[in-house]
Amino acid sequence: MSTVQPNFSKLTPKYGIFITAALLCLLPVVSSPIALVLGFTLATFGVVPTQFNLAALTKKLLSYSIIGLGFGIQLDQAIEASKQGFGLIVASIFFTLVLGYVFTKLLRIEQKTGHLIASGTAICGGSAIAAVAPAINAKDDQTSLALATVFVLNAIALFIFPVIGHFFEMSQHAFGTWAAIAIHDTSSVVGAAGAYGDEALKTATTLKLARALWIIPIAFLSALMFKGNSKKVGVPFFILFYCIAIVVAYLLPNFQPFYSAVFSLSKRLLVVCLFLIGSGITIQKLRAAGIQPLLLGVLLWVCIGSSSFAYIQFFS
């Protein structure tokens, strides 16, 4: 019985370049912004393989990386950070959603598209959009438009947030808190915070995942608002495993060298995730974002970023 062997000859050059670039992202010399730009450059020149679902791979790798970060988080610090940031998280989420509704009306953007962009800005970018979209029966083009808008702003945040933080001499804790509140996707949050410092990374990761827990109630609320299907609300299980990792590290402290190694590896895998995210950003997607949805995203981002920055700098 003969079997059909896959033809790798046509894939070798493309795979070789792509895999080499991905492996380079594991090295400390490649920062998060560089990884994102590297991925975008390969996508622009058509060097990204199309045989695999990179979006699905990125989602899984990001989940594993975040779980690994849990082994480097101190339980008492996580509890304290969550307590301190709870009020700011809740206020920022509902402030953003209300502003999103108002701006969507003013800019005359399709209501579901505007709500998806607002949800992504309020909670955790692409993950929130992916969870809310089926709950409100959003169309593919509405979801794609919201994702494209968030991807653009995530890429910008990765570059400018550390620069702003250093310019204003923000502390590690303050910057981590700000990044968790004002940056959309978890990948960009940990990328920007990781570039700022380990303490900022731990604070940002803890608060960002506490913020991400709001995906579930916001998705249910969205389903009621748009008379959608609340049964299609997705549950981000990686957050549960992240919490378990923190508890395991707390209860079994004798394995600290192993936890440190997992934490360090997870930080580098997050850089690879940003490379893969960059590989999925194309000129076509940037153009698809359009002016009005992008303007909505920018307005929401500036409002939540500036207000949370002012609160953290002057009132916390």
Side-chain angles (χ1 to χ4, degrees):
M1 180 177 177
S2 61
T3 57
V4 178
Q5 297 296 327
N7 184 4
F8 291 104
S9 59
K10 295 181 180 180
L11 304 178
T12 300
K14 184 179 291 188
Y15 274 118
I17 295 173
F18 187 80
I19 292 175
T20 300
L23 292 176
L24 283 175
C25 293
L26 291 171
L27 301 178
V29 294
V30 180
S31 64
S32 299
I34 292 176
L36 189 75
V37 171
L38 181 59
F40 175 71
T41 303
L42 294 185
T44 301
F45 287 98
V47 188
V48 178
T50 57
Q51 283 71 22
F52 295 105
N53 188 343
L54 288 181
L57 174 62
T58 304
K59 185 177 180 180
K60 287 185 179 180
L61 188 60
L62 179 61
S63 298
Y64 297 147
S65 300
I66 291 173
I67 293 169
L69 289 178
F71 288 103
I73 307 294
Q74 298 295 323
L75 181 61
D76 54 346
Q77 293 178 358
I79 293 173
E80 184 63 26
S82 298
K83 285 182 179 179
Q84 292 179 355
F86 180 78
L88 185 57
I89 290 171
V90 175
S92 66
I93 288 174
F94 286 98
F95 173 66
T96 304
L97 290 174
V98 171
L99 274 183
Y101 177 80
V102 173
F103 287 149
T104 296
K105 290 289 187 181
L106 291 176
L107 294 172
R108 296 181 179 179
I109 297 172
E110 199 284 322
Q111 193 173 7
K112 288 186 178 180
T113 301
H115 183 71
L116 289 175
I117 293 173
S119 299
T121 305
I123 308 173
C124 57
S127 298
I129 292 171
V132 172
I136 65 174
N137 295 321
K139 298 177 181 178
D140 288 343
D141 60 332
Q142 295 168 333
T143 304
S144 298
L145 203 55
L147 287 172
T149 300
V150 166
F151 281 153
V152 172
L153 299 181
N154 271 322
I156 296 172
L158 202 58
F159 286 93
I160 67 171
F161 267 64
V163 174
I164 295 173
H166 286 300
F167 180 82
F168 287 99
E169 298 181 347
M170 298 181 75
S171 68
Q172 293 276 321
H173 177 75
F175 182 83
T177 302
W178 185 45
I181 297 298
I183 301 179
H184 307 75
D185 273 337
T186 303
S187 57
S188 292
V189 170
V190 297
Y196 205 78
D198 279 353
E199 184 183 341
L201 174 63
K202 293 176 182 180
T203 301
T205 305
T206 300
L207 290 180
K208 184 61 179 177
L209 295 182
R211 185 179 168 197
L213 288 172
W214 283 84
I215 287 178
I216 301 171
I218 293 301
F220 276 114
L221 180 62
S222 299
L224 293 176
M225 289 171 55
F226 288 88
K227 298 180 180 180
N229 190 349
S230 60
K231 294 181 180 180
K232 292 184 178 181
V233 175
V235 180
F237 286 106
F238 71 89
I239 299 176
L240 172 62
F241 289 110
Y242 168 82
C243 296
I244 291 175
I246 296 177
V247 173
V248 168
Y250 175 77
L251 295 177
L252 302 173
N254 293 336
F255 299 97
Q256 190 57 46
F258 171 74
Y259 302 148
S260 297
V262 172
F263 181 75
S264 298
L265 177 61
S266 297
K267 287 197 296 181
R268 296 315 309 171
L269 287 178
L270 284 168
V271 178
V272 177
C273 287
L274 289 166
F275 165 76
L276 294 175
I277 289 171
S279 301
I281 301 175
T282 62
I283 299 297
Q284 289 77 13
K285 285 186 178 180
L286 297 181
R287 289 174 178 170
I291 297 298
Q292 285 184 307
L294 188 59
L295 179 58
L296 171 62
V298 170
L299 286 172
L300 290 176
W301 193 34
V302 169
C303 288
I304 191 63
S306 58
S307 59
S308 59
F309 176 84
Y311 178 84
I312 292 167
Q313 286 291 86
F314 302 112
F315 299 105
S316 63

